[in-house]
Amino acid sequence: MDIREYISLCRVKKGNISEAELARRTGQTPQNMNNKYRRNAFKISELEKVANALDADLKIEFIDRETGKPII
């Protein structure tokens, strides 16, 4: 699963928030948000805004490929 799929699933889970509504909540135009979705290119600062818009916290982990567990 890539980040855009993950964000889309979270939007549905949090009340079926549209992409345009998420853009508004993050202070972006719908076109700008759509471009990020198409490129699957989000900066960490943008993901923090998305998390905030979804009333959530952002947690990023590095997962060890051998063990499948977080490194830290």
Side-chain angles (χ1 to χ4, degrees):
M1 172 182 326
D2 60 27
I3 193 66
R4 67 182 160 204
E5 292 169 326
Y6 187 81
I7 292 171
S8 293
L9 289 173
C10 290
R11 287 182 13 233
V12 170
K13 184 104 176 173
K14 291 295 280 189
N16 212 22
I17 298 168
S18 70
E19 188 178 303
E21 175 62 16
L22 183 62
R24 186 191 65 75
R25 291 182 185 187
T26 59
Q28 301 178 63
T29 64
Q31 181 180 7
N32 189 32
M33 180 64 80
N34 184 267
N35 288 338
K36 289 175 200 252
Y37 265 89
R38 280 190 294 116
R39 291 188 319 263
N40 198 31
F42 290 87
K43 296 177 184 176
I44 291 175
S45 61
E46 294 166 336
L47 292 174
E48 289 170 335
K49 289 179 183 179
V50 169
N52 190 49
L54 296 172
D55 195 29
D57 293 320
L58 176 65
K59 181 179 179 182
I60 299 173
E61 296 179 315
F62 289 102
I63 307 299
D64 186 292
R65 291 181 182 140
E66 190 174 309
T67 66
K69 295 181 181 180
I71 294 173
I72 297 175

